[in-house]
Amino acid sequence: MTNPLLTPSTLPYQLPPFTDITVEHYRPAFDEALALHDAEIASITANPADPTWENTVEALERSGQDLDRVMAVFGNLSGTDVTDEMEDIAADIYPRLSAHYDAMYQNEVLYTRLKEATPLADDAEGQRLHDHLLRTFKRKGADLDAAGKARLSEINQRLSALSEEFGRNLMASTRERAVSFTEEELEGLPAERIASAKVDAEALNREGFVIPLELPTVQSELSRLAREDARGRLYGASASRGSENNIPGLIEAVQLRAERAELLGYATHADYVIAEETAATADAARSMLFDLAPAAAANAEGEQKLLAEEAELNGQGFSAADWPYWESKVRARDFSLDEAELRKYFPLDQVLEKGVFAAAERLYGITVTPRDDLEGYAEGVRVWEVRDGNHESKGIGLLLTDYFGRPTKRGGAWMSEFVGQSRLLKRKPVIVNVMGITKPADGSQPLLSMDEVRTVFHEFGHALHGLLSDVRYPTFAGTNVPRDWVEFPSQINENWALDRSLVKEYARHVETGEPIPDELLDAITAASEFGQGFATSEYLGASIIDLAWHSLSAADASELEATPEAVAEFEAEALRAAGLDNPLIAPRYRSTYFNHIFAGGYSAGYYSYLWAEALDADGFEWFKDQSDLRTAGEKFREVILSKGASRDFTEAYREFRGRDKDVAPLLKRRGLAGA
Ligand SMILES: [Zn+2]
């Protein structure tokens, strides 16, 4: 019996044959793929010929394709359908994977050969790859002595296990804390939302109605639930997630990361991480956050006053749980923005096909068409083919869309890949976009909130980065770029959601087919600054907590106590130092459910969304000045999207924009310019 994970797929674009893959295939495929990769590396190091670019660097870039294939399928599917079985496999294979790569980076013969292999003088991408590989080997411990290497491996394996455990604990805590309500308590929610809460209750074998928790502190239904006690329960469940099971693990992770940074010659984990980012130093990242904090806090205070008054007028109290509700009420009152009414202009398929895909066609000359003959990995997953209109309709790659929430799906929204682009490997990309949109129980089209509309555009921006990648080496493909760069294309793409010429086409009323009226669009624009004080504060709060944990020296980290009180005090202190200690604004994530930094590879990197937003706000000003969108899109595609990590980011930005980034457009957009 052949294992479908161990041979290249024969489906178009090497789409994995999902229907043939079962959970039994992962372990043997993983064992076999690890052994194959070891053999490939051994044949590079045992080569009697002198090291050359082809026999060493390119051979290394070609190696591990089986392992990549197994891990791409497993990595994606273990996030979209988290079952006990998949979690057991993850707990087993991630530490082994981490040990495997440690051994590769610590392989002295390989390291020596790499140093001696030089690219052709006119191969700029190769030159950059060579620098990148040598730096990566050094950062992974290639220069350490034997004891140092052994300790590093130990730390990495433990961190990998801790990360996996954090995610698993959070998933369990999130599932357990999904909040049960009676129908009366759901006052304020529309009938179809109540119906899906009934379905969720049944899936969990519970009586009544259940609202599952989303990843951030603020839950989207907080803006609609009319009852104060219902909001309080939902918020309380959200803000306490992970406090029962994630504290020892997160403290240990912080300690081990600090120790590792020191071992590798950095003062702190944040310094170690940010050295590879476009921000370059932890101080540069921290300065940006601290510079924005006072204006954000002041704006939030102004918002709070308005909302608390409105709550009082309605005879209700005002706590952290009530902020989103009264914000939506004040929005409706002051900006005539009725969020329920607004949703009717944004049915999912319409947003996707007439909005997201149409924008990409206009900008980049690509078309996205359904390939219903190809199967996704779960019910509701659709496969699309992306083709290049300008190059004799050449196939670019595949896009999978997995938009609906499932009880087994990890929270949040993300883009990932099943196959990464590479000219060396003759591979075209297969990309997936995942979200957790609530599917109406009656099977009708979900009507999206403005936030969800932006997220669909955002994730497709990442997808474009993967799909339009045109590099030789797989290491540099698509979104394999620093975190404070990777959000730049996705956030640029978000801007098209409200572009006037486009939105009139795709935002049509679900019952009447009428395009969204100008007054409503004006109201959205006017309202866009309102609420930015809160949004910026909760985001900055999370970023500052992230940097605070990861700016500890190994000695300071070793003093940390693993208790809920100590963690809460550490967070409070970090927020106080930045002037973000408003008790009514919790950070977007608290440490015990901060999946990004303790399970998601974003440690010391949560700041990067704002860093990239400065690029996006400034970059989008440029798009607004261009008379021909297709020409503008082509430039963005050529200079930014197609390049992955194959060229210097600051130089690429300069070529695209005509100058370095300016932070003023970001301040203006967030209403912080005059504050
Ligand atoms: Zn993103």
Side-chain angles (χ1 to χ4, degrees):
M1 195 179 76
T2 56
N3 190 319
L5 290 165
L6 285 171
T7 44
S9 163
T10 54
L11 293 174
Y13 303 91
Q14 301 185 27
L15 176 74
F18 296 114
T19 40
D20 299 341
I21 298 170
T22 67
V23 75
E24 284 76 35
H25 289 127
Y26 292 118
R27 283 178 207 268
F30 179 72
D31 290 340
E32 176 77 17
L34 270 190
L36 284 167
H37 194 212
D38 281 336
E40 285 165 336
I41 290 169
S43 86
I44 296 172
T45 54
N47 193 333
D50 283 344
T52 64
W53 186 250
E54 290 74 22
N55 76 18
T56 305
V57 177
E58 288 198 346
L60 187 63
E61 285 286 289
R62 287 178 198 278
S63 73
Q65 292 184 52
D66 302 277
L67 189 55
D68 289 349
R69 190 184 323 111
V70 176
M71 291 313 296
V73 174
F74 181 76
N76 278 298
L77 270 51
S78 62
T80 52
D81 285 290
V82 187
T83 61
D84 291 344
E85 232 173 341
M86 291 293 267
E87 289 189 331
D88 288 346
I89 300 173
D92 179 24
I93 70 179
Y94 281 118
R96 286 177 60 203
L97 193 66
S98 143
H100 171 77
Y101 281 108
D102 280 344
M104 182 184 91
Y105 287 119
Q106 297 180 1
N107 183 322
E108 280 166 33
V109 182
L110 183 62
Y111 187 43
T112 308
R113 282 187 73 94
L114 279 176
K115 283 194 252 188
E116 287 166 14
T118 47
L120 295 174
D122 61 352
D123 179 7
E125 189 180 334
Q127 191 60 57
R128 189 169 161 84
L129 178 66
H130 195 230
D131 293 346
H132 173 88
L133 286 173
L134 293 184
R135 222 170 46 244
T136 304
F137 270 72
K138 200 167 147 67
R139 287 171 53 80
K140 304 278 189 184
D143 286 339
L144 294 177
D145 62 17
K149 282 180 179 164
R151 179 61 187 147
L152 183 63
S153 292
E154 226 169 71
I155 293 176
N156 286 343
Q157 283 175 61
R158 181 66 188 143
L159 280 172
S160 168
L162 285 171
S163 158
E164 196 274 322
E165 182 186 302
F166 187 97
R168 182 157 34 92
N169 285 345
L170 178 55
M171 193 72 200
S173 184
T174 301
R175 238 178 328 211
E176 200 161 296
R177 281 165 204 258
V179 186
S180 293
F181 293 99
T182 61
E183 187 161 5
E184 296 70 48
E185 287 172 324
L186 294 182
E187 184 189 337
L189 299 189
E192 71 276 6
R193 182 68 189 85
I194 293 177
S196 60
K198 179 88 196 147
V199 173
D200 282 332
E202 282 157 10
L204 291 167
N205 283 321
R206 292 208 213 162
E207 296 290 306
F209 301 80
V210 164
I211 297 189
L213 296 174
E214 301 155 303
L215 208 50
T217 304
V218 169
Q219 303 293 303
S220 50
E221 299 310 354
L222 287 173
S223 67
R224 302 202 283 187
L225 287 168
R227 293 196 176 191
E228 212 176 332
D229 58 339
R231 296 195 295 265
R233 283 173 53 215
L234 187 59
Y235 186 88
S238 168
S240 61
R241 266 172 299 163
S243 55
E244 76 282 23
N245 54 15
N246 265 339
I247 286 174
L250 80 88
I251 295 293
E252 192 185 344
V254 166
Q255 291 168 335
L256 290 173
R257 286 169 180 167
E259 185 190 339
R260 180 175 62 185
E262 213 169 271
L263 190 61
L264 292 166
Y266 295 84
T268 69
H269 179 67
D271 289 305
Y272 168 69
V273 169
I274 298 173
E276 289 293 299
E277 303 291 304
T278 55
T281 68
D283 279 343
R286 195 174 5 255
S287 294
M288 182 189 63
L289 303 176
F290 274 70
D291 286 352
L292 292 174
N299 279 15
E301 227 168 275
E303 291 163 17
Q304 183 177 333
K305 203 163 155 283
L306 276 175
L307 308 187
E309 278 167 13
E310 182 70 13
E312 202 186 326
L313 273 176
N314 286 275
Q316 293 201 22
F318 187 68
S319 74
D322 306 315
W323 194 300
Y325 183 74
W326 296 110
E327 183 176 308
S328 103
K329 291 289 166 210
V330 169
R331 236 179 239 283
R333 183 195 73 192
D334 291 0
F335 303 100
S336 23
L337 211 55
D338 175 341
E339 280 165 22
E341 193 50 35
L342 192 57
R343 279 173 187 262
K344 293 186 178 156
Y345 290 93
F346 298 106
L348 173 61
D349 282 355
Q350 198 173 293
V351 169
L352 191 64
E353 296 186 55
K354 301 261 187 315
V356 176
F357 295 164
E361 181 166 0
R362 245 185 242 190
L363 285 156
Y364 309 115
I366 60 175
T367 57
V368 186
T369 46
R371 284 291 303 258
D372 293 333
D373 57 315
L374 297 175
E375 291 226 41
Y377 51 82
E379 205 194 318
V381 178
R382 292 190 74 186
V383 183
W384 309 79
E385 182 170 17
V386 181
R387 300 185 73 86
D388 206 333
N390 272 16
H391 302 87
E392 295 165 351
S393 197
K394 195 179 73 182
I396 290 176
L398 294 179
L399 170 72
L400 280 68
T401 55
D402 179 7
Y403 286 133
F404 299 116
R406 289 187 285 276
T408 51
K409 196 188 263 188
R410 184 155 71 76
W414 64 92
M415 164 275 196
S416 178
E417 59 185 34
F418 284 100
V419 181
Q421 181 271 335
S422 162
R423 288 201 304 271
L424 179 75
L425 306 180
K426 300 189 172 56
R427 280 195 326 218
K428 290 184 173 189
V430 177
I431 304 294
V432 59
N433 273 174
V434 185
M435 284 181 67
I437 297 169
T438 306
K439 194 172 190 169
D442 64 3
S444 62
Q445 273 286 303
L447 304 177
L448 306 188
S449 69
M450 211 50 233
D451 255 5
E452 288 170 330
V453 171
R454 287 199 185 92
T455 305
V456 177
F457 274 88
H458 178 102
E459 296 309 331
F460 188 70
H462 287 305
L464 285 170
H465 204 181
L467 286 162
L468 299 180
S469 174
D470 185 16
V471 301
R472 177 166 170 79
Y473 299 110
T475 292
F476 284 157
T479 53
N480 292 334
V481 299
R483 293 169 298 195
D484 60 3
W485 182 261
V486 79
E487 296 301 330
F488 170 41
S490 55
Q491 291 181 172
I492 277 283
N493 207 54
E494 254 184 82
N495 290 289
W496 300 112
L498 285 174
D499 177 71
R500 285 287 163 127
S501 67
L502 185 72
V503 74
K504 288 290 222 183
E505 294 288 322
Y506 82 85
R508 290 174 176 272
H509 197 279
V510 67
E511 286 144 19
T512 66
E514 285 299 307
I516 191 167
D518 284 321
E519 310 82 73
L520 207 45
L521 289 172
D522 291 339
I524 295 171
T525 310
S528 70
E529 282 188 13
F530 181 71
Q532 284 298 322
F534 179 88
T536 310
S537 296
E538 64 153 16
Y539 168 81
L540 288 174
S543 309
I544 281 166
I545 286 173
D546 170 28
L547 277 186
W549 284 122
H550 296 117
S551 296
L552 296 172
S553 67
D556 288 345
S558 71
E559 306 277 306
L560 292 169
E561 275 177 70
T563 64
E565 298 72 32
V567 169
E569 181 47 36
F570 183 88
E571 290 179 348
E573 180 50 42
L575 295 174
R576 257 198 307 276
L580 290 170
D581 47 351
N582 185 335
L584 293 189
I585 307 177
R588 191 168 159 77
Y589 303 98
R590 299 193 58 196
S591 305
T592 53
Y593 52 93
F594 207 158
N595 202 67
H596 288 76
I597 69 166
F598 291 117
Y602 260 71
S603 62
Y606 198 64
Y607 81 89
S608 54
Y609 291 92
L610 203 66
W611 190 275
E613 194 184 329
L615 296 171
D616 127 54
D618 187 47
F620 199 68
E621 292 289 303
W622 178 85
F623 273 105
K624 283 196 248 170
D625 291 341
Q626 306 307 304
S627 53
D628 179 49
L629 270 191
R630 183 68 189 87
T631 309
E634 195 58 33
K635 182 171 186 186
F636 191 64
R637 175 175 175 176
E638 170 59 27
V639 178
I640 307 285
L641 293 176
S642 71
K643 290 294 187 286
S646 69
R647 64 174 294 189
D648 179 83
F649 305 104
T650 309
E651 280 170 18
Y653 189 80
R654 196 174 296 144
E655 184 185 332
F656 157 66
R657 187 68 174 94
R659 57 164 172 73
D660 287 335
K661 87 164 190 276
D662 175 2
V663 80
L666 168 70
L667 298 179
K668 183 163 162 274
R669 176 197 290 181
R670 287 194 169 238
L672 303 173

